[in-house]
Structures are given as structure tokens and as C-alpha cells.
């Protein structure tokens, strides 16, 4: 029975899981959830994720939700397939730190900026310039710390590409297509890191999938 | 060389780490950080956590930050000491889900409520009743999902006490001292779970430590 990902191609959280599956070359079935029709708040979806959010994931009888729990499950259970996505031994703790950094320092700010600059216009709503300015300033501070980190380490968690880097990709894909791109371009190590991880074939496959839907 | 926790006894994030160390019966040194004097934004602390937040943690040469990365490090490296705090095998994935739930569904709402109801008055600032009302409504919805979960599982992650439960303790300790307590008391499974995990000796030790400082 093949793994299933329930989600929307526009969802950054669902993209996180799709990229991890592609990095590992794993077979899976993508089950679109019609969020505009409120499908994610209906009974049959709430049975998969009681919080009514995408993605939801099935591997046989195992049902999971929360994208970063799903990616870590995939990385651990399928550790011998495709890209490792984790570091073994002591750097495992440091990988954990930078996964938390993405979740608690980068993503809240990045999500607000994507919402204002990309999704609101898509839904015919007006961008709030004050919110954009406030969050650009916060993002700049986070990226200064990333610049220092990437001066000491090839990737965020350790010297190989891991979930700590991958988890940023969906938000980065959106932000690099917005004026916020300048914040990344202005910092040499960050800029090189972004270019490197966005060039990965697994991301290209997921974006191709998104363009077909 | 003994492990060090740099933090403040008022910090819910620092408490998360202190509770884990006590659950495992591990020796450690608590290094107070004077946040009122802005010590967490000074050079020597930024060397431990470039984001200028408590806690920071040292185990020999290893320096970590982000409380949930630290607790997971301790639980993994010292897995044979004291309370296991993790589940082995398949439920590991489900534990991961509920750790993400605490971080992304419970904590943002709980943190806003403790800020309005406890910290703002402590710092001579006025509570915003609209923010309290909005977040109580959100918390009620989260707790309805917890009620359903705890009707199927003794603890959130699986049938034993794990990090998924423990990570809630600092915020719970604060919220159960406010009128928000009623939301927990109104749900039988949630209420029993709160009483059970708040009765653990490790928490009592950390609260005693807090009262001495």
C-alpha cells in the first residue's frame, strides 16, 4: 500500500513533505484537498488531522499530521533511501537546534510576509505595508544570524543538506519571487546557500507537480 | 564537566529543560541570566544563543539552544537514566506529531494568555481583554481536540508520559493559576491528564528551585 499525502499544492506545509519524499525517491500518492470548498474542515479530513490543516499523511495504518513530524518520520524510517536528510552522531543535536530555528524564528516571519505579499493579492485582499515593513526588519535580523552560521557551517545543521535546510524551501520559493529577495541577496553566505538548496532536483519535481495542478 | 543551563526561573522555555533534567535525575548547574538587565542580549550570552533568548545549554563542548531541541537531546543521549520520556518503535512517529502540536497549536495560544494574564500585570502593564477572549476561544478548540485524543490514549503521544506531555508543563503551571483554569476543568480527560502530569515530583523540584531564587 503506497504512502499518501493529503494536501494542496499551494500549501507550504504540504510542499515540505512532498520535497522530502522526492529527495528519497519514494513512491507516494498525492490526494488533493479542495481548501476553497472547505474540504479540510469536513468530517473525513478531520479524521486524518483533527486540527483541520494540510498536510495529512498515511503510511499503511499509520496516520500522521504536522509537516515537520511527517518529514522526520520519513527521514528516520527511510534513512537508507535517497538523500540522508539527517546527520549521524553528535551533530544530531545541532541539527535539532536548527530545525527548531526554522520553525520558531524563520517560519513565523516568513509566513507573514508570504501572506501579505503573495496570498492576499491572490485572494483579492490588500497588502498591509506596515506589517511587511515590520517583518522585513525581523527577517533581516534572522538572516544576519544565518549569515554568521553559514560562515561556520556549509549547511545550517552540519556540513550536509538536511531537514534543517529543506524545511525552509517552500517559504523560500515564495519569498525569492517577491521584493523580500533583496534581503537574501544582500548576504553572501545566505545567498549562496539559498541558490544551492533551491537548485536541488527534488524541489524542481515538486514545483513541476504544482504547475500541473 | 557538569551540564549547564543558562536561563531565568521565570522563563517557561528554561523550565522545560529543568524539568527534563530532574525527570532523568541528572546533575547540572543552573546559571541565572539577568534578563531585566538585558544580559541575554549581551555578547557573552549571544555566543551561547545568537537569537538572544533563554535557555542556552552546555554539555562539555556541545552548545545548544531552543528548549525543545535541548530536551530531545537530553532524552536521547541519557535515554537509560530516569524517566524514558520517549516511546520506542512505531509510536515514535505519533510522539513526533504531538510534540509538534504542543509547539504549533498549544504554545502560541497559551503563551499569549500567560503574557496577558500573568506577565503584563507583573510588569505593570494593562491586560488586553479582547486578546484574552480571542485566545480563550482558540484554546477551547485545541482542548476539545485534546479531550478526544486523551479518550483514546492515556498520554498525548502514547500510553506513557513523554516529552509531548512534558513540554506543556511550564505554560500549564501558569495557566492553571488563572481563570483560564476553567477551560481545562470543564473537560474530564484533559482535567485528569493535567492533574496527573502536574503531580510529578520533577515539576515540584523545579518549582521549589523557582521559589528559592
Amino acid at each position: 500500500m503506497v504512502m499518501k499525502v493529503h494536501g494542496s499544492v499551494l500549501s507550504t506545509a504540504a510542499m515540505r513533505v512532498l520535497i522530502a519524499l522526492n529527495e528519497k525517491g519514494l513512491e507516494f500518492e498525492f490526494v488533493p484537498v479542495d481548501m476553497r470548498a472547505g474540504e479540510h474542515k469536513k468530517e473525513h479530513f478531520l479524521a486524518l488531522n483533527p486540527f483541520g490543516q494540510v498536510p495529512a499523511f498515511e503510511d499503511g495504518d499509520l496516520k500522521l499530521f504536522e509537516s515537520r513530524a511527517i518529514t522526520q518520520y520519513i527521514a528516520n524510517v527511510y534513512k537508507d533511501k535517497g538523500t540522508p536528510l539527517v546527520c549521524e552522531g553528535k551533530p544530531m543535536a545541532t541539527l535539532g537546534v536548527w530545525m527548531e530555528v526554522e520553525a520558531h524564528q524563520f517560519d513565523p516571519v516568513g509566513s507573514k510576509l508570504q501572506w501579505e505579499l503573495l496570498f492576499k493579492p491572490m485572494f483579492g485582499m490588500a497588502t498591509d505595508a506596515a506589517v511587511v515593513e515590520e517583518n522585513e526588519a525581523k527577517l533581516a535580523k534572522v538572516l544576519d544570524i544565518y549569515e554568521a552560521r553559514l560562515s561556520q557551517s556549509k549547511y545550517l545543521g552540519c556540513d550536509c543538506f538536511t531537514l534543517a535546510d529543506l524545511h525552509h524551501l517552500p517559504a523560500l520559493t515564495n519569498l525569492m519571487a517577491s521584493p523580500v529577495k533583496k534581503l537574501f541577496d544582500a548576504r553572501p553566505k545566505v545567498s549562496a546557500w539559498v541558490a544551492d538548496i533551491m537548485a536541488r532536483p527534488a524541489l524542481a519535481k515538486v514545483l513541476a507537480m504544482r504547475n500541473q495542478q
Side-chain angles (χ1 to χ4, degrees), chain A residues 14 23 69 74 89 125 128 192:
Chain A
E23 282 286 350
I74 292 165
M125 298 160 74
D128 184 333

Side-chain angles (χ1 to χ4, degrees), chain A residues 1 6 19 39 49 51 57 63 68 70 108 118-119 127 131 149 173 183 189:
Chain A
M1 197 170 156
H6 302 256
I19 296 168
E39 191 184 343
N49 183 354
F51 291 91
F57 174 85
K63 291 175 176 32
R68 297 173 188 84
I70 299 166
L118 283 149
F119 291 112
T127 297
V131 173
R149 172 60 182 166
T173 304
L183 296 179
K189 298 287 185 185

Side-chain angles (χ1 to χ4, degrees), chain A residues 174-186:
Chain A
N174 287 331
L175 293 175
M176 292 303 280
S178 79
V180 171
K181 176 186 199 303
K182 63 182 191 288
L183 296 179
F184 296 89
D185 292 345

Side-chain angles (χ1 to χ4, degrees), chain A residues 109-125:
Chain A
V109 178
S111 291
K112 284 199 180 77
L113 285 166
Q114 294 174 85
W115 175 249
E116 290 297 330
L117 294 168
L118 283 149
F119 291 112
K120 272 173 119 175
M122 202 185 286
F123 301 137
M125 298 160 74

Side-chain angles (χ1 to χ4, degrees), chain A residues 141-162:
Chain A
K141 288 187 180 168
V142 171
L143 293 181
D144 285 340
I145 295 167
Y146 278 33
E147 186 70 11
R149 172 60 182 166
L150 293 165
S151 306
Q152 302 172 331
S153 180
K154 186 160 195 270
Y155 293 93
L156 285 178
C158 56
D159 284 334
C160 16
F161 176 78
T162 67

Side-chain angles (χ1 to χ4, degrees), chain A residues 6-178:
Chain A
H6 302 256
S8 157
V9 285
L10 281 183
S11 155
T12 48
M15 269 186 77
R16 222 169 255 131
V17 175
L18 298 173
I19 296 168
L21 289 165
N22 275 282
E23 282 286 350
K24 295 212 153 275
L26 295 167
E27 294 236 1
F28 65 93
E29 184 190 336
F30 178 71
V31 184
V33 175
D34 188 349
M35 295 177 75
R36 255 183 281 187
E39 191 184 343
H40 54 311
K41 305 297 180 186
K42 302 233 164 88
E43 197 78 49
H44 69 273
F45 186 81
L46 295 176
L48 295 168
N49 183 354
F51 291 91
Q53 293 174 335
V54 295
F57 174 85
E58 297 179 87
D59 190 359
D61 290 331
L62 182 67
K63 291 175 176 32
L64 303 174
F65 55 93
E66 291 293 335
S67 65
R68 297 173 188 84
I70 299 166
T71 58
Q72 286 178 67
Y73 166 79
I74 292 165
N76 286 327
V77 171
Y78 299 95
K79 65 164 60 118
D80 298 325
K81 301 236 175 198
T83 316
L85 296 181
V86 293
C87 305
E88 289 298 305
K90 230 186 184 150
M92 199 66 199
T94 309
L95 170 60
V97 166
W98 290 92
M99 282 199 288
E100 290 292 302
V101 166
E102 180 276 330
H104 294 288
Q105 310 290 349
F106 178 86
D107 193 63
V109 178
S111 291
K112 284 199 180 77
L113 285 166
Q114 294 174 85
W115 175 249
E116 290 297 330
L117 294 168
L118 283 149
F119 291 112
K120 272 173 119 175
M122 202 185 286
F123 301 137
M125 298 160 74
T127 297
D128 184 333
V131 173
V132 171
E133 194 181 328
E134 180 190 344
N135 285 279
E136 280 189 351
K138 287 182 182 177
L139 181 59
K141 288 187 180 168
V142 171
L143 293 181
D144 285 340
I145 295 167
Y146 278 33
E147 186 70 11
R149 172 60 182 166
L150 293 165
S151 306
Q152 302 172 331
S153 180
K154 186 160 195 270
Y155 293 93
L156 285 178
C158 56
D159 284 334
C160 16
F161 176 78
T162 67
L163 290 181
D165 311 287
L166 187 156
H167 286 169
H168 292 78
L169 279 170
L172 278 179
T173 304
N174 287 331
L175 293 175
M176 292 303 280
S178 79

